Amino acid sequence: LLRRITSRMSVEFVKHPLIREGVIESRSYQERIASACLDGNTLVCLPTGLGKTVVAALVAAERLRLHPNKKAVVLAPTRPLVLQHYKAFSNFMRLDPLEIAALTGDTPPEERIDFWGKRMIFSTPQVFMNDLISGRVNIGDVSLLVFDEAHRAVGDYAYAFIAERYSQEPDALILGLTASPGSSKAAIQEVCRNLSIRNVEARSASSRDVKPYVSGIRVEWKRVELPPVFHQVKGFFGDFLRDRLK
């Protein structure tokens, strides 16, 4: 459904019934990744600045179009990130402001029931998990569940519990977003397993379809001498660790 319109400056923008015109610049790699995400649970690995949020917005817009009676939920690990996504999506999406809500621990539980009726909700995983357990959230009404900072889905972190419950729904679609999926194959596999993810879409600044949108970056390394107090603290930590190891 994604199409493009051209502005007077010859910059192309995404056109979609639920995306504001002239807001999201059309980038082929973002559209290809979004299209792949609509086919199944996907982990999107993009360096900071290449548009993970834009990809999530494109996927959310299409899922809301396909399932007008359901909602999209974006989870982020901290309150600032939740509010950041809320602000970005409010700018991207062609939705009534009353249909979008942000939920954190600052919102009392008894007030959160009404918020879960919105079309787009942004929340911390702890709030979502607590409301899921208490029955304030009907997870069957969710057409898309986005896990930002998806690499946190290890151990007993709330992401794994939520994904396990949601993946049992017949129309579930999971989207994981991360700039650093893990330092080893095993770590990445654990994240994918905990989020019920089967597909991975990864790009870097040097990827063929990304290069046209990334201007050249010159890196200059400067060696900085640590202040004496830093060396002193480092010495204390070293002594402590040596004592423990003995």
Side-chain angles (χ1 to χ4, degrees):
L1 189 74
L2 292 173
R3 291 177 294 160
R4 302 174 182 178
I5 57 174
T6 306
S7 73
R8 287 171 295 183
M9 298 291 291
S10 297
V11 176
E12 295 182 336
F13 293 94
V14 168
K15 185 175 182 181
H16 186 281
L18 293 179
I19 297 289
R20 297 180 189 274
E21 290 190 6
V23 172
I24 296 180
E25 179 185 344
S26 178
R27 295 188 172 190
S28 58
Y29 73 91
Q30 291 174 345
E31 294 173 15
R32 278 197 288 269
I33 293 173
S35 180
C37 292
L38 289 165
D39 289 335
N41 297 348
T42 305
L43 178 65
V44 173
C45 305
L46 284 175
T48 300
L50 291 187
K52 293 185 293 294
T53 304
V54 169
V55 170
L58 297 178
V59 177
E62 183 62 0
R63 288 295 284 183
L64 290 174
R65 186 191 72 83
L66 293 172
H67 304 275
N69 296 322
K70 293 191 175 186
K71 59 179 65 65
V73 176
V74 177
L75 301 179
T78 65
R79 182 177 182 275
L81 271 176
V82 168
L83 297 179
Q84 179 180 313
H85 284 305
Y86 170 78
K87 183 177 180 181
F89 276 75
S90 295
N91 180 51
F92 292 153
M93 308 294 289
R94 187 180 285 165
L95 295 174
D96 188 309
L98 296 177
E99 294 182 300
I100 306 177
L103 290 174
T104 65
D106 294 339
T107 310
E110 61 274 10
E111 296 180 12
R112 296 202 294 256
I113 298 176
D114 293 336
F115 285 101
W116 289 116
K118 310 287 186 180
R119 294 198 72 191
M120 280 220 70
I121 304 101
F122 304 85
S123 172
T124 56
Q126 290 78 15
V127 166
F128 187 87
M129 183 175 69
N130 291 339
D131 286 1
L132 179 60
I133 293 172
S134 65
R136 282 185 286 268
V137 176
N138 180 0
I139 204 164
D141 291 339
V142 177
S143 65
L144 172 69
L145 193 50
V146 179
F147 294 89
D148 189 29
E149 303 290 317
H151 54 272
R152 291 176 177 250
V154 294
D156 60 355
Y157 192 67
Y159 275 2
F161 172 83
I162 294 168
E164 194 276 331
R165 289 282 298 272
Y166 180 58
S167 62
Q168 298 174 23
E169 296 298 320
D171 293 323
L173 184 66
I174 290 173
L175 171 59
L177 306 175
T178 183
S180 52
S183 57
S184 67
K185 183 177 180 180
I188 297 171
Q189 288 175 334
E190 182 182 4
V191 169
C192 291
R193 183 169 58 252
N194 288 345
L195 294 182
S196 297
I197 280 171
R198 297 291 179 269
N199 308 311
V200 176
E201 287 287 329
R203 301 288 194 284
S204 70
S206 60
S207 296
R208 182 178 300 177
D209 54 352
V210 175
K211 276 185 177 181
Y213 305 97
V214 179
S215 57
I217 299 175
R218 184 173 64 88
V219 178
E220 181 180 352
W221 292 92
K222 289 185 178 291
R223 185 175 181 82
V224 178
E225 291 297 328
L226 291 177
V229 68
F230 279 56
H231 288 289
Q232 186 180 13
V233 171
K234 180 177 181 291
F236 290 151
F237 276 119
D239 293 340
F240 171 78
L241 289 173
R242 278 190 292 273
D243 289 341
R244 288 292 182 180
L245 286 172
K246 287 179 183 178

